Amino acid sequence: RGDRVIIYDKGCSFLPHYFDEKKDRILNPFDKRCVQWDLWSDANQIEEFEFISQALIPLGDSENPFWINSARSLLTDTANRMKNDSDRSINNLLKMLLTADLDTIAQYLTGTESANLVDSKIEKTAITIKSVLATYLKSLRFLNGLATERFSIKEFIENDENGSLFITSNAKYHTSIRSLISMWISIASNTLLSMEENRDRRIWFVLDELPSLQQINSLPGTLAECRKFGGSFILGMQSQSQLKKIYGHNGAAEINDLLNTRFFFRSPSADMAKYVSNEIGDHDIEELRENYSYGANTVRDGISLSKQKSTKPIVSASEVMSLPDLSCFLKMSKLPTTRLYLNLKVDRSKIAEYLVPRKINLDTEVEELIDQYVAQAPKDIQNDNKEAIQKTNDSFQMEGDDF
């Protein structure tokens, strides 16, 4: 229909068939066609840098948010201070945060809230904060050397530009840029909510395999408000358990509650099939029952009819588990649940390469330090190990008290 689309294309499945190089854009640092995006193309105020820091470094389920919040604060203040530098770049930002000594960073951040976080008097604490930063910022290093046109996600949405935005990855590179992709999607959705209300506007966000991204903190709020701004979200996932793993039980329930139209395909899991059956709901059935009575005389024999109401699932769990291919149950907010049979179009023409590999020249000094810092990151940041959280807290208790 000509609507604009921001599409997360994890396996590059859509791009070969729908990408139009004349009007569409690609965000994937491993693709030569990737547009030139950097931090300052979409942020120039402290609030915007704070939002990007939160999107890039999610809080997750960590019992000790000190390390995450400190890393966010350090990134926010450094990026905000660097916006006025003539030689600002992603690579220079990484060098400042990861390769510069603590005194240099503290001097650069003089007058900001984060200056005390890198004070040499609390060296162990500062190094741990830098290790958390390295864990999440390492995806930014792949943006180095992009030579195509400058691109702003915010301008792309606000200026009502024609074309779509393909945010792509594949299995080989996905882990490396997972946090970067989540941040780009957050910027796009937040920009939509910052615009004037317009119900005639239509911008689609297609996020297939949503659980393959890190937690997008702004997603529940965006789903709740996007309709009046013209936003339409399509979320795809294999099971509800995947969503709970990323967003927690309450977060997954909140996202699920905000989705009005749902397509349920076959699920081999009994638990998931029961969940689908409950989501589709029940209906009341009024059944006629015949009762027979016999007496000593045939004159007293009789048949009586009675009505009995009962409640049954509209769709049973076994029906969900046995759905054939290309068949699903469709549940909409104001219409009865129905069963759809879809036709697979297999003869789509290929109009673009799914990936044009780009050689990335990484800064050796930054690379070595990233590996060192990531290895020093608290275990809860690396693998949510609760015992390591306590161990890390005990190790830095003295430095924390002094701070």
Side-chain angles (χ1 to χ4, degrees):
R1 295 199 305 241
D3 295 345
R4 284 184 296 161
V5 182
I6 288 88
I7 180 168
Y8 165 52
D9 190 5
K10 181 177 183 293
C12 298
S13 303
F14 296 91
L15 188 144
H17 307 290
Y18 300 107
F19 177 71
D20 184 346
E21 61 181 7
K22 295 180 181 179
K23 61 180 182 178
D24 297 336
R25 306 287 194 279
I26 294 177
L27 278 174
N28 179 352
F30 293 100
D31 195 314
K32 280 186 177 179
R33 298 165 294 182
C34 180
V35 290
Q36 184 182 351
W37 181 92
D38 66 12
L39 200 59
W40 300 274
S41 63
D42 282 311
N44 53 39
Q45 297 179 2
I46 188 68
E47 296 82 7
E48 294 172 326
F49 288 112
E50 286 178 348
F51 177 83
I52 288 179
S53 297
Q54 292 171 9
L56 193 61
I57 309 175
L59 187 59
D61 297 325
S62 174
E63 292 184 356
N64 182 8
F66 171 77
W67 306 117
I68 294 295
N69 289 331
S70 298
R72 287 174 170 178
S73 179
L74 189 56
L75 173 60
T76 296
D77 287 338
T78 306
N80 186 52
R81 181 61 57 88
M82 192 170 284
K83 72 182 179 182
N84 297 317
D85 294 354
S86 58
D87 60 343
R88 73 184 187 196
S89 68
I90 293 293
N91 200 49
N92 286 343
L93 176 67
L94 293 175
K95 282 187 173 182
M96 174 59 69
L97 290 170
L98 302 179
T99 68
D101 58 63
L102 296 179
D103 290 336
T104 301
I105 303 175
Q107 184 178 1
Y108 187 77
L109 296 176
T110 299
T112 68
E113 296 179 358
S114 301
N116 290 331
L117 295 174
V118 286
D119 194 318
S120 57
K121 294 179 182 179
I122 52 168
E123 182 178 357
K124 290 184 178 180
T125 301
I127 290 176
T128 302
I129 294 171
K130 291 178 71 173
S131 71
V132 174
L133 265 176
T135 302
Y136 292 102
L137 294 189
K138 58 184 181 179
S139 61
L140 291 177
R141 70 196 195 275
F142 297 114
L143 296 171
N144 189 38
L146 290 171
T148 55
E149 62 179 302
R150 176 190 171 276
F151 178 76
S152 166
I153 297 174
K154 184 166 64 173
E155 291 177 4
F156 173 79
I157 295 178
E158 288 180 343
N159 297 342
D160 198 23
E161 294 186 23
N162 292 325
S164 300
L165 177 61
F166 289 81
I167 303 176
T168 68
S169 74
N170 58 21
K172 183 178 180 179
Y173 306 118
H174 182 70
T175 302
S176 300
I177 58 174
R178 181 169 171 253
S179 59
L180 192 59
I181 293 173
S182 302
M183 179 191 65
W184 282 331
I185 294 172
S186 296
I187 293 172
S189 60
N190 188 61
T191 300
L192 175 67
L193 299 189
S194 302
M195 299 169 67
E196 183 180 356
E197 293 184 17
N198 185 346
R199 296 180 182 274
D200 295 326
R201 182 191 298 125
R202 186 65 67 235
I203 300 178
W204 294 86
F205 287 74
V206 181
L207 309 179
D208 192 17
E209 300 295 348
L210 175 65
S212 66
L213 297 172
Q214 71 182 24
Q215 185 179 25
I216 302 175
N217 298 324
S218 60
L219 182 59
T222 301
L223 292 176
E225 299 182 47
C226 68
R227 294 174 183 85
K228 59 186 177 184
F229 297 96
S232 297
F233 277 73
I234 300 177
L235 310 181
M237 64 202 76
Q238 299 291 334
S239 72
Q240 187 72 359
S241 298
Q242 288 181 314
L243 205 60
K244 290 179 180 178
K245 182 179 179 181
I246 304 297
Y247 291 89
H249 180 81
N250 292 334
E254 183 180 4
I255 291 173
N256 186 64
D257 291 343
L258 293 167
L259 303 175
N260 281 339
T261 303
R262 310 178 191 191
F263 297 82
F264 296 109
F265 289 82
R266 181 179 64 240
S267 174
S269 166
D271 289 340
M272 186 61 191
K274 291 176 182 177
Y275 167 82
V276 171
S277 178
N278 290 334
E279 284 295 302
I280 292 176
D282 300 327
H283 62 157
D284 295 328
I285 298 176
E286 192 174 74
E287 299 175 311
L288 285 176
R289 294 197 173 186
E290 292 185 354
N291 296 310
Y292 299 90
S293 60
Y294 300 92
N297 191 297
T298 55
V299 176
R300 303 189 63 179
D301 294 346
I303 300 176
S304 62
L305 299 176
S306 62
K307 293 182 180 180
Q308 184 171 345
K309 289 185 177 181
S310 62
T311 301
K312 293 184 178 180
I314 297 174
V315 175
S316 67
S318 59
E319 288 180 278
V320 177
M321 297 176 70
S322 60
L323 274 172
D325 292 348
L326 300 178
S327 177
C328 67
F329 291 107
L330 168 62
K331 178 178 174 60
M332 303 181 73
S333 58
K334 297 181 180 180
L335 296 173
T337 298
T338 188
R339 183 166 171 174
L340 292 183
Y341 297 89
L342 310 177
N343 292 320
L344 178 64
K345 185 178 180 181
V346 295
D347 59 345
R348 292 178 297 173
S349 59
K350 182 178 178 181
I351 61 176
E353 293 296 326
Y354 86 100
L355 179 71
V356 180
R358 182 176 82 94
K359 184 178 179 180
I360 301 176
N361 296 319
L362 299 176
D363 190 303
T364 305
E365 184 181 9
V366 173
E367 284 298 295
E368 291 176 353
L369 281 169
I370 283 178
D371 292 337
Q372 292 177 19
Y373 280 127
V374 170
Q376 298 177 57
K379 295 301 180 183
D380 61 311
I381 303 300
Q382 296 186 40
N383 57 15
D384 294 328
N385 188 316
K386 294 184 178 180
E387 294 181 358
I389 296 174
Q390 187 59 49
K391 184 178 179 181
T392 304
N393 292 344
D394 294 340
S395 299
F396 297 110
Q397 184 176 4
M398 181 177 295
E399 287 80 6
D401 290 342
D402 291 342
F403 170 73

